[in-house]
Amino acid sequence: MSGAVGNPDSPPGDIVCNVCNNVFQKPRMLPCLHSMCFDCLQRILDTNKTADTIECSTCEETIEISAHDAKEFPSNEYLITIIDVYFSRHGGDKNCAICDLRSKKIQAKFKCVDCEDFLCEACGGAHSSTRLTIEHSVLSLDELARGSHDDIIREKRRMHCQYHEKEVLDHYCKSCNRLVCRECRLNDHFDHTAVPVKDVDESKRGKISEIISRLDIKIKDLFDSDVESETVVRELDKSEQTAIDEVEHTSKQLQERIEKEKTELIDTVKKHVTTEKERINGQKDDINQRHALLTYGSEFCSRVTENGKEAEVIYMEPELSGRLRYLDRLPQPNTTIRCQFPEVKLRNLYGNVNNIKFFEFTPGTTSTVASILPPNVEESDNIPKVLSLTLKRRINVFLSDDETSPKITGICVIKNEIYVSDYANRKIKIFSLKGEHIDTMQNIAAFSITGFDDVIAVSDHFAVTILSKDESIKYRVDLQSTSASYPLTTMHGNTFVVANSKNHIYMVYDKHGTNVENHKMARSTRKSFSRAVTYLTTTSNGDIVASDWGTNAVVVMGTNGKAKFEYTAKPLSYTKDWSPGGVCVDIHDNIFLVDQRQGNVTVLNPTGKVVHRHNTKKDGLERPVNIATDHNSYIYISGKGGLIHAYLTEYI
């Protein structure tokens, strides 16, 4: 807001109340720096007596209120000065204040900017001649109307004390951080440190300017972002039609291909049915002919034996018996009616209609580390840092002989082969790292799977089973039956670790099923919560990394049973809104963990600091659950459905 005011016919918008649409009267300033007339603000407060907030009539910002009194809001003294300047320009219809005291109505020609009184020509000359007012600034209303003395008016205006109305606020009390007048200094602020306002003016202006400088940087960034957004929107407009045209073109091609295949398939079905009908009709003709032949012979011989005379029967018996024996020796035609009914299925790529998706929409942006990491994240200089995760391929684990859609409950990589536990179809499916199906182990319903060399271990609610790929080696370790699963992992490449949350221990077994050692679980830092480990992995030095649903945390524990650190997503302030899923560790001991609820993969360095976070939703993976690494810069993540997403990890 400038120091001078223009001279339009109507008041400028800066000095007009947005509530009553009149020039401000005793303006009060809201926290958002907009103002209202004192009376307008009080009416709003009275209307909202039961509310603890009101809304700014200009910017609609919500303002919290502690008391329903307009006096609680500070006076906008700067705006009052600007209003004084405005009214000083529009005093042509004012009467002389001195003459008013004598009951005379004489039009004012001057204004004393010190007394703020309008004066007629005679009183104006006298005002400049008295001992008390000889140095007052008495200015012509014509000059004031031209704005020639705006700065003088602003300079002459003084703020008066609300407690001592005739006293000017000319000092600043450092003890109370407020303006005070002479009377205030002699009374309530007698023993306080008070200095003239000019002594603190520079520091106060400097403090405001410092903050403004910081805001100016943000304002410039916002302006640049606004300009950039306009550019991006124009590019979006250009690319939108291109994408739509491509979808339309591809859809047309797909429809043509589907129509062509439909025609071919219908023709194939019809030909197949025609062939089957001809075969069945031929079989039917053979059956009918044999039926007629046997029926006539049987019925004729029956009539002869029932109605013929003794001599007739005896005479014809050799012929009748011979014919019946001949008919009895005839081979029975095929009386089993079978056919191959036409059956049409979707190819294994889709499984069923609900799984068919021809298109995939992926926004063309990727999150950078700088935009998602908490500030001041410490990094270990000698440990490669995860820079990005790039989706390279999707592996469809649905097989043609599956009875239902897969439910992936575990993933592990053994000797460059991906082992997938499909609980719904009771199978362990084995794929190459490129996603080619290699083999299937039947009748195994597992909640967790791990392995090393040629030995794997699987677990359910009752036991851990250790077996070789060809199932020639098989050991069963019976455990307590619980409603929870027993998560598994390997340690040092030669033993298996099983989490038993009920007994608060990690049990270690060799490949023959022998319990070689146990480790107590680290106690929860949250006293009212107990451990409920659901996913498990280990580091190169044998630390156990557990995804713990009981405390909603990922815990790293040494073999001494003490927790090295717990990760609870607190830097993001959504501890209650995240759900830790599978965990795995790369060759650098970076920890990869999935957040089922938020749809994220979070990477921690070996000290527990967040170094990267990747949102899987943009890759079409809504709720990631299981995760594994091949120790060759790839991680494999599964969620709902029968797809595994393979990501390439880039390090710096």
Side-chain angles (χ1 to χ4, degrees), residues 321 332 356 396 398 447 544 553 631:
S321 296
Q332 188 79 343
I356 296 179
N396 189 350
F398 184 91
F447 282 112
I544 297 173
H631 296 299

Side-chain angles (χ1 to χ4, degrees), residues 291-431:
H291 179 268
L293 186 65
L294 296 182
T295 300
Y296 175 77
S298 176
E299 290 179 349
F300 179 79
C301 292
S302 294
R303 287 197 302 271
V304 171
T305 57
E306 291 174 3
N307 302 316
K309 297 179 180 180
E310 292 86 345
E312 293 172 349
V313 172
I314 294 171
Y315 176 77
M316 296 178 65
E317 183 275 329
E319 293 296 330
L320 296 178
S321 296
R323 181 59 177 177
L324 290 174
R325 282 193 294 271
Y326 168 75
L327 294 175
D328 188 41
R329 288 195 302 267
L330 286 176
Q332 188 79 343
N334 184 11
T335 58
T336 302
I337 308 299
R338 291 191 177 93
C339 75
Q340 293 180 323
F341 292 94
E343 184 177 355
V344 178
K345 293 182 179 180
L346 292 170
R347 297 186 183 276
N348 294 340
L349 176 63
Y350 302 115
N352 58 61
V353 173
N354 293 330
N355 290 338
I356 296 179
K357 288 186 178 180
F358 294 105
F359 300 102
E360 178 182 20
F361 173 74
T362 302
T365 58
T366 56
S367 299
T368 60
V369 175
S371 65
I372 60 176
L373 280 180
N376 302 323
V377 174
E378 299 178 1
E379 305 289 341
S380 299
D381 294 335
N382 59 342
I383 297 176
K385 172 184 170 184
V386 175
L387 178 63
S388 66
L389 297 177
T390 304
L391 179 64
K392 288 298 183 179
R393 57 183 166 271
R394 295 180 177 87
I395 300 173
N396 189 350
V397 304
F398 184 91
L399 302 179
S400 59
D401 59 347
D402 283 349
E403 296 179 356
T404 185
S405 297
K407 180 181 179 181
I408 301 175
T409 53
I411 311 172
C412 70
V413 179
I414 308 172
K415 287 187 174 182
N416 293 325
E417 291 180 347
I418 305 172
Y419 284 65
V420 181
S421 172
D422 181 357
Y423 184 83
N425 291 289
R426 300 178 60 83
K427 296 176 182 178
I428 301 297
K429 301 173 181 178
I430 306 172
F431 297 84

